[in-house]
Amino acid sequence: MRPYELIKAKRDGQPLPPADIRAFLDGYTQGDVTDYQMSAMCMAVFFRGLSDVELAAWTRAMLESGEVLDLSETKGLKVDKHSTGGVGDKVSLSLAPLAAACGVPVPMISGRGLGHTGGTLDKLESIPGFRVDLDVPTYRRLVKDVGACLIGQTATLAPADKKLYALRDVTATVDCIPLIASSIMSKKLAEGIDALVLDVKVGSGAFMKTVEDARTLGRTMIGIGREMNKKVVAVLTDMDQPLGNTVGNALEVIEAVEMLRGKASADYTEVTLALTAEMLVQGGKAKTPAEARVQLAKVIADGSAEAKLCDIVKAQGGDPSAIRELSKLPRARHTTTVPAPRAGFVTGIDSEAVGLAAMALGAGRAKTTDAIDPAVGFVLEKKMGARVQAGEALVTVHYNDASRLDEVKARVTKAWRIGDAAPAARPLILERLE
Ligand code: URA
């Protein structure tokens, strides 16, 4: 089928032959299928979905749009973690050095901010000099010699996803289970892993707003992994409020380093330890998550996790002294606070609204070509369950450009719900799927 016929078939709910899906995605990677045709196809997939057969063909075509790495020169089981995306989700920044410090090699291909969510690559680039555009030979060498390497997609690793990810970001086709599953799994399967831990975020700041949808997404990705002979575990975690106390690139790096010093917020610490413990079990370094936690506590207490982060930063062209002395990271010129409009308890935080407010501040992109301001963002002073007085700060805003400050403050004020009684506590780890 020609692109027009294939788009029409999906629009009308007809099955797509795997060979045609392959030709369509290959055509897109090579530039023969245009962005507007791919946008129309993604919107048709958004409404019609993909059958299991179509999804397998779609994912394989994305995976095989580039090189599929074999990292067998690195000893041991190579394990990665990937999040489906959230607000304040800085887990990868602390998890990669923690796992590597415990002897699990971590090959990690990450993404940039997508929609209202932040991206690991943008956070890493707030460390002066840090490069995420390393070539494949350097990536291979660093996984072997340093124990972890965090890069973006290259022209040779899952290039179809690189193009499609940016297109979906601006065409309202991100929050679609088959498109998320194929995007994540194509790049993860290309990077040379033996096993994968998935952090499927659920709640107001996630693409999956309900546990049912998150479970479907987790099971879909586990199914793709099984097809490709990779062990995949999915953990459903809470994203009904931003994770940790910071949102914004350099601010999140600071919180990640504090986690490696054992001094970060309880929710962020717990999610990071739970996911890294899964990695240690998958990587054969611990028999149980409880045993893994003992090792993780040790590398935090003896400083080797922070030292590993410095090694990673140095190996990727960054300045490790900015990790040791956090004041060397980019800092916004001004701060202001958003006051609580009334007294009571914080009963909810619309995390998607917080992500969009961070974008308006300059921490994320509205268009693919937008530059990011690494210094700006929010420090969350009152999270769910906290008691507040009228006028007390809910959030401290770090900003450089005041032109949209009123809009940002209005968005933040609207995102916080304040009621008369404390809300029931929600579990952070909602479910584990294997
Ligand atoms: N993360 C990805 O890598 N891809 C998506 O589509 C969503 C989150």
Side-chain angles (χ1 to χ4, degrees), residues 82-85 109-112 114 117 153 161 165 168 173-176 179-185 187-188 207:
H82 196 81
S83 156
T84 55
I109 296 180
S110 297
R112 297 201 175 271
L114 191 62
T117 67
Q153 282 133 301
D161 184 54
Y165 195 86
R168 287 170 54 221
T173 49
V174 172
D175 47 347
C176 167
L179 295 180
I180 296 178
S182 53
S183 160
I184 292 180
M185 294 307 286
K187 54 182 172 275
K188 296 288 117 175
F207 294 122

Side-chain angles (χ1 to χ4, degrees), residues 10-228:
K10 180 46 70 185
R11 184 198 70 186
D12 296 343
Q14 310 295 327
L16 307 184
D20 289 328
I21 292 178
R22 178 64 178 242
F24 187 79
L25 277 153
D26 284 352
Y28 180 59
T29 312
Q30 284 146 24
D32 300 332
V33 169
T34 61
D35 272 349
Y36 50 80
Q37 288 172 316
M38 185 50 100
S39 304
M41 176 60 97
C42 287
M43 195 55 86
V45 170
F46 184 94
F47 286 111
R48 292 287 186 180
L50 290 176
S51 69
D52 288 351
V53 173
E54 289 171 340
L55 179 61
W58 187 288
T59 309
R60 201 173 275 282
M62 303 244 301
L63 169 67
E64 292 173 1
S65 65
E67 214 181 331
V68 180
L69 295 182
D70 168 4
L71 296 181
S72 51
E73 74 268 17
T74 299
K75 300 270 172 291
L77 296 171
K78 278 123 326 237
V79 189
D80 188 12
K81 184 271 333 178
H82 196 81
S83 156
T84 55
V87 179
D89 179 4
K90 60 212 61 93
V91 168
S92 294
L93 306 179
S94 45
L95 164 143
L98 278 166
C102 293
V104 176
V106 185
M108 190 179 274
I109 296 180
S110 297
R112 297 201 175 271
L114 191 62
H116 65 278
T117 67
T120 300
L121 300 180
D122 299 323
K123 296 173 202 194
L124 287 168
E125 281 180 345
S126 67
I127 302 169
F130 197 101
R131 287 190 49 203
V132 297
D133 60 346
L134 305 179
D135 60 16
V136 170
T138 310
Y139 166 80
R140 303 180 83 102
R141 181 172 57 74
L142 296 186
V143 173
K144 181 164 176 283
D145 295 348
V146 181
C149 184
L150 298 89
I151 59 167
Q153 282 133 301
T154 68
T156 59
L157 290 177
D161 184 54
K162 185 176 173 146
K163 253 182 115 174
L164 201 48
Y165 195 86
L167 185 73
R168 287 170 54 221
D169 192 23
V170 291
T171 55
T173 49
V174 172
D175 47 347
C176 167
I177 290 176
L179 295 180
I180 296 178
S182 53
S183 160
I184 292 180
M185 294 307 286
S186 62
K187 54 182 172 275
K188 296 288 117 175
L189 294 168
E191 68 188 8
I193 46 166
D194 297 298
L196 176 63
V197 176
L198 291 166
D199 179 8
V200 185
K201 299 276 184 213
V202 193
S204 64
F207 294 122
M208 299 297 109
K209 307 290 184 207
T210 65
V211 171
E212 292 68 35
D213 281 350
R215 202 180 283 137
T216 306
L217 176 59
R219 291 206 175 121
T220 305
M221 292 190 283
I222 290 171
I224 296 173
R226 191 182 310 121
E227 280 247 334
M228 314 269 180

